[in-house]
Amino acid sequence: MLVMPVILLQTVGCFSAMHPLQRVLRAQRCLRWGPLASVSRLLLRTCRACCNLSSTACPSPETQQEDGVRKDFSSRLAAGPTFQHFLRSASVPQEKLSSPDVEDPPPYLTVDELLGRQRKVYLETYGCQMNVNDTEIAWSILQKSGYLRTSNLQEADVILLVTCSIREKAEQTIWNRLRHLKALKTKRLRSRVPLKIGILGIRSIMRGCDNMCSYCIVPFTRGRERSRPVASILEEVRKLSEQGLKEVTLLGQNVNSFRDNSEVQFNNAVSTNLSRGFSTNYKAKQGGLRFAHLLDQVSRIDPEMRIRFTSPHPKDFPDEVLQLIHERDNICKHIHLPAQSGSSRVLEAMRRGYSREAYVELIHHIREFIPGVSLSSDFIAGFCGETEEDHLQTVSLLREVQYNTGFLFAYSMRQKTRAYHRLKDDVPEEVKSRRLEELITVFRKEATKANKTSVGCTQLVLVEGLSKRSATDLCGRNDGNLKVIFPDVEMEDVTNSGLRVRAQPGDYVLVKITSASSQTLKGHVLCKTTLKDSSACC
C-alpha cells in the first residue's frame, strides 16, 4: 500500500506501450503545456552531467566502447528537435498533436539502453517537500526500469541528486557535493560499471510565480505562473487512487494562485478575490478555473484519500477555499502561511503585499473558519535593512500565532532579484545567525505549547512505517502534518468487527495523544479505522 505524498505529473496515455523513461523523453511531442518539455531536457541534462564528470584515467577497451555509445547518443541528440521546435509545438492545436497522422521522431534512447539490469541507484535529496516528492517520482520510474535502490554510496552505479536553486546555500551545497562525487568517480575501479552522476529538479501542478517579492529568485528561475489543465490533474489523481495511494499533495511554487485558462468557456469568469488587506504587484487577473475549483474536484475523487497542498501565498485564501477545507473530511486541516517577517516595514521592503496587521487578521479569520487548524510558516532572518526592532517584531509574531511547524532561514541575497539591484545586504552575517537562533528558540518553545494542546485528544493518523528511532514503534502523520509515534501492537479493526490486527503502512488508525514536543506527538493506538468512519472509536 503506497502512502507517500506525490507530485502530480502530466499523464500521457498515448505512450502506454512504450518504456516509462522513453515516454518521459518523448512526452513533449504530445503536450500543449510547454513546461513539461523540461522533463526531457532534465533527463538529457542528467545524461550530459554523467558524461561531463568522466574519469581522467587512461581509456580501457570498456571505456572506448562506452565512448562509442556516448558519441552515438550525442549524434542522435544533435539530430533531434531543438528548443525552437518546442516553442513552435506549443502553438500547435491539440487536435493536430493528438492526430495519428503525426509521426514521432526517433527516440533519444532505445528501450534496451534504458534498462537498469539490477544496477544500483543512490538518491540524495536537498530542499523542500517538492524535491522529496521528485525523488520518489524518479525512483518509481527507475524501479520499473529494473534498478535497485541502495543507501550505500560506495556500491552505487548511479547517483542522482534532487535539488533546486531557490536558496544560494542549497545551490552551493550541490556544487560542493559534485566535487566530492567527481573524486569518487575518478577513483572508481576500472573493473566496475562506470559511475553515472546526475542532477534532477522540480515538477508540480503549476510553475512559476508572478508575485516578484524583492528577495525571491523564483520568477527568474521558474518564469511566470502557468498552470496545468484541471482535467489532466483529475485524471492523474484517479489513477493514483486506483493504485491505492492514500495521500496526494498538490504542489506549486504559489499553489493557491492556480489558474487553468485552457477552457475557453471559463475565460470570462470574475476576477480573483484576494484575502482582506492584501494586494498584488501585478494587475488583477480575469477568468480561468481557480484553485478552489481544483481543490473541490480533487477532493471528490476518493473520500479515503487525504489531500494536502503547498506552498501557498497568504493573499490567495478567499473564503471559498477555507470553506472547502472546513467541510471536506479528506482535505487536511493544515495551512502553510508564509509570513517571512513580523515587521510591516520589512514586509513592505520585501514587496509581500500585506502588513503585519493584515496577516494577523487572516490568521484569526482562518482559525474562526477552521477550528483546530494546524499552521506552519516561513521566516527570513536578517533581510536588507532589518533593525533590531524589526527582528523583535518577528519574535513577537511567533509568540502571538504559535505555529505548529516552522521553516526559518538566514537571508542570502541572490543575483537577479529586486533586492540585489535596489537594496543593500547590510545585516552582518553574525547578526543574521544570532537572530536566526533566537527565532528558532522562540519557535520551538511556542510550537511545543501549541502541540501540547493535543495531549488527551484522539487523532486520526495515516501510518507510514516503522519509527526511525525504535523498531517497536510505528510512525505516521496526523491531519495537521505532525509526526505521531505509537507502539506497534495489536488493535481492533473496526472495519472487520472482532478482528485484531497490527497496523500496516497505508492504514488509518486512531491514536490517543499522551505527550508532545515541538516536532512530534506520541500516543497509544486505539483501533484501525477508515477516514470516513474515524469517529466510530472516539
Side-chain angles (χ1 to χ4, degrees):
M1 186 75 69
L2 298 176
V3 187
M4 192 167 301
V6 296
I7 295 177
L8 300 178
L9 286 171
Q10 184 78 32
T11 303
V12 189
C14 59
F15 297 120
S16 58
M18 298 173 62
H19 188 280
L21 287 180
Q22 241 182 357
R23 291 201 298 269
V24 173
L25 285 170
R26 296 177 64 179
Q28 74 278 5
R29 286 283 296 167
C30 290
L31 294 172
R32 292 183 65 188
W33 193 61
L36 190 61
S38 64
V39 174
S40 63
R41 296 195 293 273
L42 197 59
L43 292 177
L44 294 176
R45 283 200 298 272
T46 299
C47 295
R48 292 192 186 104
C50 296
C51 296
N52 292 338
L53 290 170
S54 59
S55 172
T56 57
C58 296
S60 64
E62 292 83 359
T63 304
Q64 292 176 344
Q65 182 179 4
E66 183 185 357
D67 288 341
V69 173
R70 288 175 183 160
K71 290 178 181 177
D72 181 56
F73 172 79
S74 299
S75 63
R76 277 180 284 162
L77 181 60
T82 64
F83 180 64
Q84 286 71 26
H85 165 84
F86 295 122
L87 293 178
R88 290 195 301 270
S89 297
S91 61
V92 178
Q94 185 70 27
E95 296 76 15
K96 184 175 180 180
L97 287 175
S98 59
S99 170
D101 297 331
V102 178
E103 184 178 352
D104 286 325
Y108 296 121
L109 297 174
T110 66
V111 172
D112 186 64
E113 290 170 324
L114 294 171
L115 293 178
R117 294 190 175 86
Q118 303 298 296
R119 283 178 291 181
K120 296 181 179 180
V121 60
Y122 178 89
L123 295 161
E124 203 165 87
T125 309
Y126 299 82
C128 66
Q129 183 64 42
M130 295 177 73
N131 296 335
V132 174
N133 291 339
D134 282 353
T135 301
E136 298 310 318
I137 291 287
W139 166 235
S140 66
I141 295 174
L142 291 167
Q143 186 179 32
K144 290 177 182 177
S145 302
Y147 286 86
L148 302 176
R149 190 168 183 174
T150 179
S151 58
N152 186 341
L153 184 65
Q154 299 298 325
E155 69 178 21
D157 303 307
V158 178
I159 298 173
L160 291 179
L161 308 181
V162 185
T163 185
C164 66
S165 60
I166 301 306
R167 294 186 176 88
E168 184 178 21
K169 183 178 179 181
E171 184 173 330
Q172 190 58 47
T173 299
I174 287 298
W175 283 114
N176 293 337
R177 186 60 169 152
L178 284 173
R179 293 187 189 99
H180 170 76
L181 295 176
K182 183 176 181 180
L184 181 68
K185 180 180 177 72
T186 302
K187 296 175 183 177
R188 183 93 161 190
L189 294 176
R190 296 185 208 169
S191 58
R192 295 184 60 187
V193 175
L195 179 62
K196 303 293 185 183
I197 302 170
I199 303 175
L200 300 178
I202 290 174
R203 303 298 308 143
S204 56
I205 66 165
M206 58 90 64
R207 292 174 63 86
C209 183
D210 293 344
N211 292 320
M212 298 298 292
C213 299
S214 61
Y215 57 84
C216 187
I217 199 173
V218 168
F220 305 99
T221 58
R222 305 281 168 80
R224 301 297 296 271
E225 290 177 5
R226 61 265 190 208
S227 303
R228 283 176 53 188
V230 168
S232 72
I233 299 171
L234 298 181
E235 176 62 23
E236 186 165 0
V237 173
R238 290 188 192 97
K239 291 184 178 181
L240 295 173
S241 173
E242 292 168 0
Q243 294 169 15
L245 270 78
K246 290 295 187 68
E247 186 172 293
V248 167
T249 300
L250 305 176
L251 293 172
Q253 202 65 49
N254 194 31
V255 68
N256 57 339
S257 68
F258 178 92
R259 180 189 303 273
D260 171 17
N261 289 313
S262 65
E263 300 288 341
V264 177
Q265 64 268 33
F266 296 109
N267 284 344
N268 294 322
V270 296
S271 59
T272 305
N273 291 321
L274 299 179
S275 307
R276 283 180 293 183
F278 288 69
S279 62
T280 67
N281 294 319
Y282 51 82
K283 294 181 180 179
K285 300 177 181 179
Q286 301 288 333
L289 295 173
R290 301 308 316 282
F291 184 67
H293 175 85
L294 174 66
L295 193 59
D296 171 48
Q297 295 300 306
V298 168
S299 66
R300 292 176 184 274
I301 291 174
D302 184 351
E304 291 299 311
M305 176 186 278
R306 271 182 172 173
I307 309 299
R308 300 188 188 275
F309 60 90
T310 198
S311 175
H313 189 286
K315 76 178 190 312
D316 291 309
F317 274 106
D319 286 353
E320 51 264 37
V321 171
L322 300 179
Q323 184 64 37
L324 274 171
I325 298 172
H326 169 69
E327 68 184 27
R328 300 287 167 84
D329 291 336
N330 63 335
I331 302 179
C332 292
K333 309 304 182 277
H334 165 245
I335 292 180
H336 185 62
L337 211 63
Q340 307 302 357
S341 176
S343 164
S344 293
R345 193 187 70 82
V346 174
L347 289 170
E348 183 177 3
M350 290 178 166
R351 304 183 83 224
R352 290 290 291 170
Y354 55 85
S355 64
R356 175 197 174 105
E357 292 72 24
Y359 180 87
V360 171
E361 182 182 349
L362 177 61
I363 292 284
H364 294 321
H365 187 60
I366 289 173
R367 283 177 166 163
E368 289 173 359
F369 242 107
I370 313 169
V373 65
S374 174
L375 296 177
S376 59
S377 191
D378 297 340
F379 286 92
I380 296 173
F383 183 66
C384 304
E386 183 187 74
T387 65
E388 200 64 25
E389 176 59 28
D390 294 325
H391 167 64
L392 293 176
Q393 287 288 311
T394 302
V395 171
S396 71
L397 183 63
L398 285 169
R399 290 191 174 121
E400 181 176 357
V401 177
Q402 287 191 341
Y403 299 96
N404 301 89
T405 311
F407 304 91
L408 299 90
F409 307 92
Y411 175 65
S412 62
M413 181 172 277
R414 306 307 311 274
Q415 293 186 18
K416 299 183 180 180
T417 63
R418 186 183 180 92
Y420 179 81
H421 292 288
R422 303 197 180 189
L423 301 177
K424 185 178 180 180
D425 188 7
D426 54 0
V427 180
E429 291 302 317
E430 61 272 17
V431 175
K432 291 180 184 178
S433 298
R434 189 257 302 167
R435 290 178 183 174
L436 177 61
E437 287 302 315
E438 290 177 2
L439 293 181
I440 291 173
T441 299
V442 173
F443 158 72
R444 286 176 176 167
K445 181 179 179 181
E446 299 304 323
T448 300
K449 290 180 184 178
N451 295 339
K452 281 187 175 179
T453 61
S454 297
V455 173
C457 298
T458 298
Q459 297 194 350
L460 183 67
V461 176
L462 180 58
V463 181
E464 294 182 348
L466 286 173
S467 169
K468 292 182 179 179
R469 296 190 177 183
S470 172
T472 62
D473 289 336
L474 295 174
C475 74
R477 293 193 178 269
N478 67 2
D479 200 57
N481 207 28
L482 280 173
K483 185 181 292 186
V484 181
I485 308 295
F486 55 94
D488 181 11
V489 296
E490 283 192 348
M491 72 197 80
E492 179 187 0
D493 182 354
V494 298
T495 64
N496 289 288
S497 182
L499 187 67
R500 296 192 66 79
V501 297
R502 297 177 91 105
Q504 302 296 322
D507 288 344
Y508 286 111
V509 297
L510 288 174
V511 177
K512 186 167 185 178
I513 305 302
T514 57
S515 66
S517 68
S518 63
Q519 297 180 339
T520 305
L521 304 178
K522 292 185 177 181
H524 61 263
V525 67
L526 301 177
C527 62
K528 177 185 174 182
T529 184
T530 64
L531 197 157
K532 183 179 179 180
D533 300 327
S534 58
S535 61
C537 292
C538 294

